Amino acid sequence: MFRKINLNKSKPYALVVLFLLLFGVVIGGWFLTEALLLQKQEEFLDRTGRIARQTGMPSALQPAETSLSSSDQPGETGGDLAEGALFEGRPLSEEMMAQVLSVWESGGNELPHEPQEGQMNMEQAIETGKEWIAVMAECGIVPEGLAECDFDKVTARLCTLDTQVDFDDSLLSCWLVRYTENNVAVSLTVHASSGKIWKASLSMKESDRVPNEYSDEEMLGIAFPFIDRGSTETANLVNNTTCDIMPGGLVYAAVKEYQIAVKNQDPVIVIDFWLGAV
């Protein structure tokens, strides 16, 4: 006759087999997921490494903005210049400078970006600023202690404007670099393609201000040594401002010094230098 099967006895074995199968699926899935994550991580790190090598940017730095206690920002995608190499900027005519300055003055949305071919990297921008500050310190325009360029903090970011122009739009890019040391702050706008400083703002406590014998015209020559001087005007283009107008009459260099009163504190002296379109 037919053999009677004891279902109650075989049920525990079926549950054990089912548990083992489910356990194997879970463990296998875990290992598979881990392997995929490791693969994605390796691909990401490899891609990041390539970007860092192309830009000359240390991996610990952020491309949009960098803050260093000891920075700068090398950051360059197109130049492929060796670390520490001097940047040979693109010379610009007065007419071209005026076009770029006009766009800057019109304003717009700032777009951070990586350096393009022919633009200075972050390290070069910061070193350019340090050299500029050292000269200003040697001339007594900022405290001479800044000549050593040992700053508490340096931040730098490269950006352009979200606008349409009828010339090479890479000329709109600039490095915005800020150096701070004790009570002194220096903010610079470095034109990324020419490598020249087009704007600067110095702020310090009045007690840190070192008297110097330079006139406004002489300070403009120190701040913008690459500018050909045409005529000098005072308070005609900008109120209470001394301006040097370039020979073509399209671009001016200006300087303005003023004081900010701070309650129960030493007044703050601010000196602004900038280029503008006439």
Side-chain angles (χ1 to χ4, degrees):
M1 297 299 295
F2 297 104
R3 184 178 178 180
K4 189 175 182 179
I5 300 175
N6 190 339
L7 295 177
N8 291 332
K9 185 176 180 179
S10 62
K11 186 176 181 179
Y13 294 105
L15 291 176
V16 170
V17 172
L18 179 61
F19 173 79
L20 292 176
L21 288 174
L22 291 175
F23 182 77
V25 170
V26 171
I27 294 300
W30 184 82
F31 280 110
L32 178 60
T33 301
E34 183 180 33
L36 291 175
L37 288 174
L38 288 174
Q39 181 180 358
K40 292 294 184 181
Q41 184 182 39
E42 290 177 358
E43 292 176 356
F44 173 78
L45 291 175
D46 181 62
R47 186 166 59 252
T48 304
R50 287 199 300 272
I51 294 174
R53 287 192 295 272
Q54 291 171 356
T55 61
M57 185 185 306
S59 60
L61 301 182
Q62 297 297 325
E65 180 170 356
T66 300
S67 176
L68 299 176
S69 300
S70 46
S71 148
D72 107 310
Q73 182 192 31
E76 169 193 7
T77 54
D80 292 333
L81 296 174
E83 182 177 354
L86 294 177
F87 176 76
E88 295 183 3
R90 175 177 174 179
L92 299 180
S93 65
E94 182 180 346
E95 181 180 3
M96 190 72 258
M97 292 177 64
Q99 292 186 55
V100 174
L101 289 166
S102 294
V103 176
W104 284 9
E105 292 165 1
S106 297
N109 294 327
E110 288 187 358
L111 298 177
H113 68 91
E114 294 287 344
Q116 302 173 11
E117 183 175 0
Q119 295 180 343
M120 64 190 341
N121 63 32
M122 183 174 63
E123 180 184 32
Q124 293 160 344
I126 288 187
E127 287 304 314
T128 295
K130 287 182 176 180
E131 293 172 3
W132 187 89
I133 293 171
V135 171
M136 301 296 277
E138 291 171 1
C139 294
I141 299 174
V142 296
E144 58 184 33
L146 294 184
E148 299 178 1
C149 295
D150 185 16
F151 299 100
D152 294 331
K153 184 179 180 181
V154 179
T155 62
R157 60 191 177 95
L158 175 64
C159 63
T160 186
L161 291 176
D162 184 15
T163 185
Q164 297 292 324
V165 293
D166 56 4
F167 54 85
D168 183 1
D169 59 6
S170 69
L171 294 177
L172 294 178
S173 299
C174 62
W175 283 101
L176 304 177
V177 192
R178 181 176 174 85
Y179 311 79
T180 56
E181 171 69 17
N182 295 325
N183 297 317
V184 182
V186 181
S187 298
L188 302 178
T189 299
V190 188
H191 187 251
S193 295
S194 68
K196 304 298 184 182
I197 294 171
W198 284 17
K199 295 183 181 181
S201 182
L202 319 174
S203 65
M204 68 203 81
K205 288 189 175 181
E206 187 176 37
S207 56
D208 294 328
R209 179 76 158 98
V210 180
N212 66 76
E213 300 178 355
Y214 295 103
S215 65
D216 287 349
E217 293 82 359
E218 290 171 331
M219 285 200 297
L220 282 174
I222 297 170
F224 303 119
F226 59 94
I227 292 295
D228 294 328
R229 300 175 63 178
S231 61
T232 300
E233 298 185 14
T234 302
N236 287 341
L237 294 175
V238 186
N239 290 335
N240 302 318
T241 301
T242 299
C243 304
D244 273 347
I245 303 176
M246 292 183 66
L250 301 176
V251 174
Y252 68 88
V255 58
K256 181 178 182 179
E257 181 174 340
Y258 54 97
Q259 185 180 96
I260 300 176
V262 181
K263 187 176 181 180
N264 300 325
Q265 296 184 24
D266 288 343
V268 174
I269 302 297
V270 179
I271 309 175
D272 289 334
F273 297 90
W274 72 97
L275 301 181
V278 176

